[in-house]
């Protein structure tokens, strides 16, 4: 198995590769895997490999003109304490793109990287352990 087989990869088109690397490694716990900045870099967190493609990268050049506007896709990062993460990121001067939303599955908030790509920070709802049956 190669390194690439061990990760699910998502490509984000960015206008500044180094700013994106700095954002993900400084604020969201990613580590730099490789860099060919300013064209391309990839960062890793657990099983996720995030491909950061600048305007000169082959990934960005392959995008048709009618598909250059951002979609509604986002990566989903699970956190243990969403309130602490929000406080930490606000303390670092980051702004969120949504209000905190709660639902039956948990709580979430949206953050954007320097290029406007969305990141969902999600804290699952706590479930009580199943009661054993006899």
């Amino acid at each position: 198995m190669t390194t690439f087989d061990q990760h699910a990869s998502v490509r984000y088109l960015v206008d500044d590769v180094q700013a994106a690397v700095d954002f993900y490694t400084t604020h969201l716990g990613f580590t730099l895997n490789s860099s060919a900045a300013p064209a391309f870099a990839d960062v890793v967190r657990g099983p996720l490999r995030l491909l950061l493609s600048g305007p000169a990268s082959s990934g960005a050049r392959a995008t048709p003109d009618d598909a250059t506007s951002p979609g509604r896709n986002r990566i989903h990062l699970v956190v243990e304490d969403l309130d602490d993460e929000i406080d930490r990121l606000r303390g670092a001067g980051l702004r969120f793109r949504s209000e905190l939303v709660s639902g039956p599955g948990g709580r979430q908030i949206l953050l954007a990287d320097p290029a406007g790509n969305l990141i969902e920070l999600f804290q699952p709802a706590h479930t009580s352990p199943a009661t054993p049956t006899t």
Side-chain angles (χ1 to χ4, degrees):
M1 184 184 308
T2 67
T3 300
F4 303 118
D5 295 334
Q6 298 171 7
H7 296 98
S9 296
V10 174
R11 183 181 309 279
Y12 267 176
L13 302 179
V14 300
D15 49 4
D16 184 329
V17 171
Q18 190 57 55
V21 167
D22 293 345
F23 174 84
Y24 285 99
T25 59
T26 300
H27 301 297
L28 298 177
F30 283 79
T31 57
L32 180 64
N33 189 50
S34 68
S35 179
F40 171 84
D42 65 318
V43 292
V44 174
R45 176 179 162 167
L48 174 61
R49 178 174 171 243
L50 192 55
L51 311 171
L52 304 169
S53 297
S57 71
S58 59
R61 291 192 319 265
T63 305
D65 288 339
D66 64 349
T68 57
S69 64
R72 296 179 51 106
N73 299 315
R74 58 188 181 231
I75 60 171
H76 173 108
L77 302 177
V78 176
V79 299
E80 288 186 32
D81 188 326
L82 186 56
D83 295 320
D84 282 351
E85 284 298 303
I86 291 169
D87 289 344
R88 182 181 68 79
L89 295 168
R90 279 195 176 129
L94 301 182
R95 294 179 41 186
F96 290 90
R97 294 289 310 273
S98 74
E99 296 298 320
L100 182 64
V101 175
S102 295
R107 302 179 320 135
Q108 65 181 310
I109 194 166
L110 297 179
L111 179 69
D113 74 9
N117 295 302
L118 293 176
I119 300 104
E120 176 183 324
L121 302 178
F122 178 79
Q123 180 181 351
H126 296 295
T127 55
S128 57
T131 306
T133 58
T134 54

